Amino acid sequence: MRVGPASRHTADDVAVRPSPVSRRVGRQRRRRSPPMFQNVMPRYEILSQDALATLDAAWRRLVSEIGVEFVSDRAIEMFRAAGQKVEDHTVFLDPEFVLEQVAKAPREFDVQARNPERSVHIGGDSMVFGAVYGPPFVRQGDVRRDGTMEDYRNFLKLAQSFDVLDSAGGVVNEPNDTPLDSRHLDMTYALQTLTDKIYMGNVVSGVNAADTIAMGAILFGGRDKIEETPCSISLINCNSPLRWDDRMLDALFEYAAAGQPVVLTPFILMGAMSPVTIPAALVQQIAEALSGIALAQLIRPGCPVIFGSFLSNIDMQSGSPTFGTPESGIGLLCTGQIARHFGLPFRTGGGLTSSQLPDAQAGYEALMTLMPTFLAGTNWVMHTAGWLDGGLVASYEKFVVDCQITEMLQHEFKPLEIDEGSIAFDAHQEVGHGGHFLGAMHTMERFRTCFYRPFLSSSDNYEKWMRGGALDAAARAGKIATAKIEAYEPPPIDEAIRLELEEYVVRRRAELGD
């Protein structure tokens, strides 16, 4: 038997279906991938029913009395046509209307990867992990510099090499040495060819989103194929407080119309983009996320969505953002409970830190975020690996450290097997009183697999550690990153598809003037 709850799914729940993928891609030989992580442990829920009711009443008041601003004429006309009160670009939402729209979103859905074994299920007990997203800078060793396209490709190689990651993400770092108007083409092409995992779509503009969709259609055999089972997930951030800007909304319109999942995410740093109290931030987060989800459903009823959360606080002495804080951990646990209350898969968590180096602070702050990420059962985890310096930096060493932390947590959150073999009564019979179990048959049969073995940590004695160069965790992580990149082998891809993608990139780059 197992210690830990059985799966909470019933026959009425959405079944996990194999994701259809182009046969030209699917029949190629690939390294078998481990199954995606399922977190069946109990969820850590800290809100009482009275607390949930109070938050519920508060978000209703916020959307109906203060309203939410949508800087998009298309969005405004959709809300007006749906009977919502509109003044300029502010929509005063009927809470019941919002809930009617939210109810149209699926509780769970699939996202296909070009390697079918790496396709994922979003929702329920599934946890899907992606790399850091958005840093303009890169740190490697002692050097902090602008990110380049070579860095971008290297991080994708790392993401492909670590099975603990289900996705390379999207903007793992900004490739600042490529033209701004067309770099999204090179980034999407790299995501599609250097990895065979799911990827994130570009959201800088509606044009960029349309290109991402077109390239996904090439990779998976047509737009109808990706509308049937989506191939990308895209991050749509709210300009908190209570404002959805035009660029984000343009991207939302493209992805939602194509049936591609969108992560509607309030970007809240308490004290700056929300009031300083956690309950106030949670109320604002609910209002912003649900209003964005309502628009996605107006665009395309049934569009897959993820209830997004990026919730931390600022240092009230300096005004700087802080990460890995107790407040952010509490907010994270509340977010999971709130999202389940609305029947939605949710995004939050990651290996977040304010530290400028991959040092002890970076490690404990990352764990302060990743532990509640697991306790909450987060479905879509962005920034799992590589986040440094408040998200300004993608770090090679931190990437490896975070993969180590995540792998250990995945092991810790697996149910414990308790049966006759694990009770090991026969080992006591063999060893008797006052002996040791090192040579017992029970030990000999299990010693290679009985304990988790970290790939980064050192348990050498002092003398052996000194002979090995006296390397700390960051230095060891740097060596692992270099070795992984050097050993990387690209996953196979149908050459005709690769050429079609390349031709699209070349043509569109010329059309964009780059």
Side-chain angles (χ1 to χ4, degrees), residues 210-496:
D211 281 330
T212 304
I213 294 165
M215 294 177 72
I218 293 171
L219 185 63
F220 290 93
R223 179 154 172 151
D224 59 327
K225 298 294 185 183
I226 65 173
E227 290 193 18
E228 179 184 352
T229 304
C231 68
S232 66
I233 297 178
S234 300
L235 175 65
I236 308 297
N237 276 338
C238 184
N239 189 356
S240 303
L242 301 172
R243 187 176 195 261
W244 293 95
D245 69 34
D246 54 345
R247 291 199 304 172
M248 287 284 104
L249 291 178
D250 286 346
L252 170 63
F253 269 92
E254 294 291 340
Y255 286 118
Q260 302 305 292
V262 283
V263 191
L264 283 306
T265 301
F267 188 97
I268 296 177
L269 294 173
M270 290 179 283
M273 287 88 116
S274 83
V276 296
T277 56
I278 295 173
L282 292 173
V283 168
Q284 181 181 317
Q285 177 178 269
I286 296 169
E288 292 175 345
L290 294 190
S291 65
I293 290 169
L295 176 57
Q297 300 309 308
L298 287 178
I299 297 169
R300 180 174 176 139
C303 173
V305 298
I306 297 174
F307 184 103
S309 172
F310 188 91
L311 178 60
S312 193
N313 56 281
I314 64 169
D315 183 324
M316 296 305 294
Q317 278 68 53
S318 68
S320 298
T322 56
F323 300 98
T325 66
E327 292 79 11
S328 66
I330 293 169
L332 195 160
L333 294 170
C334 294
T335 295
Q337 192 171 352
I338 289 166
R340 284 187 289 274
H341 172 72
F342 291 111
L344 294 167
F346 71 103
R347 167 254 165 146
T348 190
L352 310 186
T353 179
S354 302
S355 181
Q356 293 77 26
L357 296 171
D359 56 8
Q361 177 185 337
Y364 68 70
E365 287 181 343
L367 184 60
M368 281 286 289
T369 309
L370 281 168
M371 178 61 81
T373 298
F374 277 77
L375 289 170
T378 304
N379 302 119
W380 175 248
V381 186
M382 292 180 61
H383 310 303
T384 304
W387 169 293
L388 197 65
D389 196 2
L392 292 173
V393 172
S395 162
Y396 285 89
E397 292 83 5
K398 179 72 161 31
F399 197 104
V400 175
V401 171
D402 290 335
C403 285
Q404 176 66 92
I405 295 172
T406 304
E407 189 174 287
M408 294 176 79
L409 285 169
Q410 287 189 358
H411 190 81
E412 184 175 343
F413 274 73
K414 289 179 180 177
L416 182 64
E417 295 281 357
I418 298 181
D419 55 20
E420 192 66 26
S422 62
I423 294 297
F425 187 82
D426 56 339
H428 284 285
Q429 290 178 317
E430 177 184 348
V431 172
H433 303 88
H436 67 78
F437 293 89
L438 289 174
M441 183 60 66
H442 184 272
T443 303
M444 298 303 294
E445 291 172 346
R446 294 166 174 80
F447 75 93
R448 287 187 174 87
T449 59
C450 58
F451 304 130
Y452 172 81
R453 299 185 68 182
F455 59 81
L456 174 61
S457 305
S458 171
S459 58
D460 294 337
N461 62 38
Y462 181 75
E463 288 75 15
K464 184 176 180 182
W465 177 70
M466 288 294 292
R467 290 196 301 271
L471 303 179
D472 64 9
R476 294 194 300 272
K479 292 173 70 70
I480 291 172
T482 298
K484 289 277 190 184
I485 293 168
E486 290 176 350
Y488 165 85
E489 294 183 5
I493 183 172
D494 186 284
E495 183 63 11

Side-chain angles (χ1 to χ4, degrees), residues 169-217:
V171 188
V172 189
N173 72 272
E174 280 287 353
N176 292 297
D177 57 342
T178 58
L180 181 62
D181 289 341
S182 63
R183 68 176 57 160
H184 67 284
L185 299 167
D186 298 310
M187 296 161 74
T188 302
Y189 178 79
L191 285 164
Q192 293 177 322
T193 57
L194 296 181
T195 83
D196 60 4
K197 302 180 179 185
I198 67 168
Y199 58 90
M200 297 188 71
N202 194 282
V203 295
V204 170
S205 68
V207 170
N208 291 16
D211 281 330
T212 304
I213 294 165
M215 294 177 72

